[in-house]
Amino acid sequence: MTPIPRSVLAAIVTAGLAVLAFVPAARAVDQDAARTLARTNNCFKCHAITRDKDGPGWKKVADKYKGKPDAEAQLMHHLTSGEMVKLADGSQVHHKIIKTDPANDTAQIKNLVDWILSL
Ligand code: HEC
């Protein structure tokens, strides 16, 4: 077998690295993980996908943020800051701060936000 020239090997390694670097950006939403995180956090106590409960249906949220470049950042803030929200009965509460296992796993929260925005 003829040995593979060094330059060809270098090209293969470079191409491989380029693909690896591209993967995180192209990562699709993991819908099952998003739903599981929402379920374990009791988000569905106040939210549904299509209809409004105490909180707005998440399709409505997706519509509201459609085309807004900072949508992901705003919802990340919403889920981690405990800002005040108004419930159906008019009372004001701190919005639930999302919990992940391990704690503060931004990637998990981001996946849920991206899923909500994709609805
Ligand atoms: C006690 C009820 C309650 C729970 C539990 C709850 N939410 Fe909410 N949520 C609300 C209310 C009320 C609003 C409306 C906020 C507003 O528009 O003022 C809201 C708004 C939102 C929005 C839209 C924010 C925006 O900027 O338009 C998202 C997204 C959201 N919640 C996600 C979640 C997720 C994810 C969970 C679980 C970690 C969760 N909520 C748990 C009541 C709740």
Side-chain angles (χ1 to χ4, degrees):
M1 214 170 81
T2 39
I4 301 168
R6 218 173 239 289
S7 60
V8 172
L9 276 179
I12 291 169
V13 169
T14 308
L17 287 178
V19 167
L20 278 183
F22 185 67
V23 166
R27 188 200 55 200
V29 169
D30 182 340
Q31 190 190 145
D32 289 343
R35 282 180 180 274
T36 301
L37 184 61
R39 206 175 307 120
T40 53
N41 274 274
N42 276 328
C43 307
F44 295 124
K45 182 165 87 97
C46 298
H47 293 281
I49 307 293
T50 48
R51 71 193 168 88
D52 295 338
K53 296 170 89 173
D54 256 323
W58 283 344
K59 267 189 196 301
K60 196 188 265 181
V61 175
D63 283 347
K64 175 176 143 190
Y65 283 100
K66 203 142 276 167
K68 300 211 171 118
D70 60 344
E72 189 184 63
Q74 282 199 34
L75 290 188
M76 290 295 288
H77 176 77
H78 175 74
L79 291 182
T80 52
S81 64
E83 57 194 11
M84 297 305 285
V85 294
K86 203 181 246 176
L87 301 182
D89 67 5
S91 61
Q92 301 242 42
V93 297
H94 289 283
H95 190 269
K96 182 172 175 72
I97 293 178
I98 195 159
K99 285 205 181 70
T100 58
D101 180 21
N104 305 318
D105 186 344
T106 313
Q108 286 185 39
I109 305 172
K110 220 164 166 207
N111 182 61
L112 174 55
V113 163
D114 289 348
W115 175 61
I116 292 172
L117 290 171
S118 78
L119 291 170

